[in-house]
Amino acid sequence: MIVVEHRYLGHSGLKVSEIIFGNWLTLDGQIAEDTQAACVRAALDAGITTFDTADIYSRGHAEEVLGRALAGIRRESLVIATKVCLPTGPGPNDRGLSRKHIMESCHASLRRLRTDYVDLYQAHRFDGNTPLEETIRAFADLVRQGKALHIGVSEWTAAQIEKGQELARPLGVPLVSNQPQYSMLWRVIEPEVVPMCERLGLSQIVFSPVAQGVLTGKYLPGREAPAGSRADDAQGSRFVSRYMSDTVLERVQRLRPIAEEAGLTMAQLAVAWVLRNPNVAAAIIGASRPEQVAENAAVGGRRLDDSIMKRIDEVLDE
Ligand code: NDP
């Protein structure tokens, strides 16, 4: 039986499942709530214990759906992560990383998630208009109040992470994670962010590991996107479009024989590829159907050997 393994998050004692289920677009109207709940159940069945969401996803609805789907499950068996920063309303204080918005948004997230605390509270983006001292102090206060157990960031630069950690450490509440985009098609974090995080004790928990579906190989060059896929969805297609050139889609098809040789599906190859990076604690997968969760999580524990990695590099470097 395949088991989803757990890894330590940064220099903390918290263990996260190396596959995390995230509910961004999947819970934003593209699919019905019962399908969303089925995806969460499939995640739990596959041994996923860690769930990622955000205050902004579907204007809070994603947190509500996740809270309902996880209701009744022993809280201690779950690791729940959410985020704050992006606009949640029209008001001047409905966004950013001010003390006011962090406190108010955290309270609203806890209500929607039906929990007294989140295991990981993340700054969704950097806020250059709020003093970083104010932000880190507010995060540390949430930890002291028991409303968040650990703090992290998302899509911060290496320099922003360094400054944040400088402020967080003396408060006894170090940053433990960064949540960046990372996949075979998006390797921006490799030169600076990863080395900085290794030095400062943060892990990456990476989003869009299958490049929003593109690395599953289901989008073929010169062909229409399959009906019902993210690229076929009015909202989703805005995000997938960056990958939809024939050059990229042709390169992705050249990964197919490598996946077959490794005995993996293309989605599993993509997930295993991000997990081979020792600074990556987890891949945050999305899904529009429970079968996708089962398939992608079934990579659990599988490590790509050097010959497979070399062949992937050859395709990516072409
Ligand atoms: P993925 O790269 O895992 O893409 C998921 C989508 O790809 C699915 O919804 C599905 O879309 C398609 N897919 C996945 N597996 C398969 C499969 N086996 N076969 C066919 N299609 C498949 O990640 P996401 O982009 O969804 O991001 C995952 C999570 O990361 C989010 O939910 C969120 O928690 C987090 N995130 C964080 C961000 C941040 O700024 N911090 C930004 C973005 C995401 P479909 O079936 O509709 O084609």
Side-chain angles (χ1 to χ4, degrees):
M1 180 186 148
I2 296 152
V3 178
V4 173
E5 294 183 0
H6 283 67
R7 299 186 185 185
Y8 284 104
L9 194 62
H11 284 178
S12 82
L14 178 66
K15 289 176 205 146
V16 294
S17 49
E18 63 181 17
I19 313 283
I20 295 176
F21 179 67
N23 74 357
W24 169 44
L25 281 180
T26 43
L27 303 191
D28 200 10
Q30 190 196 347
I31 56 170
E33 181 162 343
D34 55 351
T35 310
Q36 301 164 19
C39 287
V40 172
R41 274 197 304 279
L44 293 164
D45 288 347
I48 291 173
T49 57
T50 310
F51 294 84
D52 179 73
T53 186
D55 56 359
I56 188 186
Y57 295 166
S58 195
R59 297 154 305 282
H61 184 58
E63 286 181 330
E64 277 170 17
V65 171
L66 188 62
R68 276 198 287 276
L70 294 176
I73 295 170
R74 198 170 69 90
R75 180 64 183 88
E76 294 82 349
S77 68
L78 299 169
V79 173
I80 300 177
T82 193
K83 316 183 203 77
V84 58
C85 187
L86 299 175
T88 51
N93 284 306
D94 291 337
R95 65 191 65 202
L97 296 176
S98 67
R99 182 175 185 82
K100 176 173 171 63
H101 185 55
I102 288 172
M103 292 295 169
E104 289 170 349
S105 185
C106 183
H107 292 154
S109 290
L110 295 179
R111 271 196 306 276
R112 290 189 292 256
L113 285 163
R114 303 173 175 212
T115 182
D116 298 329
Y117 65 94
V118 287
D119 299 273
L120 178 65
Y121 200 51
Q122 305 156 99
H124 209 154
R125 291 290 181 272
F126 188 78
D127 175 5
N129 297 314
T130 299
L132 192 51
E133 289 80 359
E134 175 177 336
T135 297
I136 297 292
R137 171 68 70 178
F139 269 79
D141 285 348
L142 284 174
V143 174
R144 290 222 176 77
Q145 293 165 9
K147 292 172 184 162
L149 303 191
H150 297 278
I151 60 173
V153 301
S154 172
E155 289 286 29
W156 282 25
T157 65
Q160 291 163 348
I161 290 168
E162 185 174 35
K163 186 80 191 121
Q165 190 67 307
E166 228 172 74
L167 295 166
R169 263 212 190 116
L171 299 178
V173 186
L175 300 171
V176 295
S177 60
N178 178 42
Q179 185 178 137
Q181 178 167 186
Y182 186 53
S183 71
M184 287 186 212
L185 299 179
W186 198 269
R187 302 174 65 166
V188 177
I189 58 170
E190 286 180 357
E192 291 178 8
V193 171
V194 166
M196 179 65 77
C197 288
E198 278 173 340
R199 187 160 74 73
L200 298 179
L202 286 80
S203 295
Q204 314 298 323
I205 54 173
V206 304
F207 68 79
S208 302
V210 303
Q212 309 204 29
V214 173
L215 284 165
T216 68
K218 68 181 175 181
Y219 299 114
L220 299 173
R223 304 266 282 277
E224 292 286 305
S229 63
R230 188 176 291 185
D232 180 50
D233 173 73
Q235 197 194 357
S237 61
R238 288 192 292 131
F239 298 100
V240 193
S241 63
R242 70 170 61 136
Y243 299 119
M244 297 302 274
S245 72
D246 281 359
T247 316
V248 172
L249 298 183
E250 274 158 18
R251 184 173 301 150
V252 168
Q253 289 307 316
R254 287 201 285 283
L255 296 168
R256 191 178 293 281
I258 305 176
E260 280 165 9
E261 190 187 310
L264 298 170
T265 67
M266 289 181 74
Q268 290 168 342
L269 185 79
V271 174
W273 185 88
V274 300
L275 289 174
R276 106 274 172 232
N277 184 324
N279 190 232
V280 171
I284 312 178
I285 62 164
S288 64
R289 288 182 262 295
E291 298 77 25
Q292 295 173 348
V293 181
E295 177 188 330
N296 300 4
V299 74
R302 180 66 197 276
R303 302 289 170 250
L304 299 180
D305 63 36
D306 290 347
S307 70
I308 294 287
M309 284 302 292
K310 186 161 170 286
R311 289 187 57 202
I312 293 173
D313 282 342
E314 282 163 9
V315 170
L316 299 181
D317 291 344
E318 273 168 21

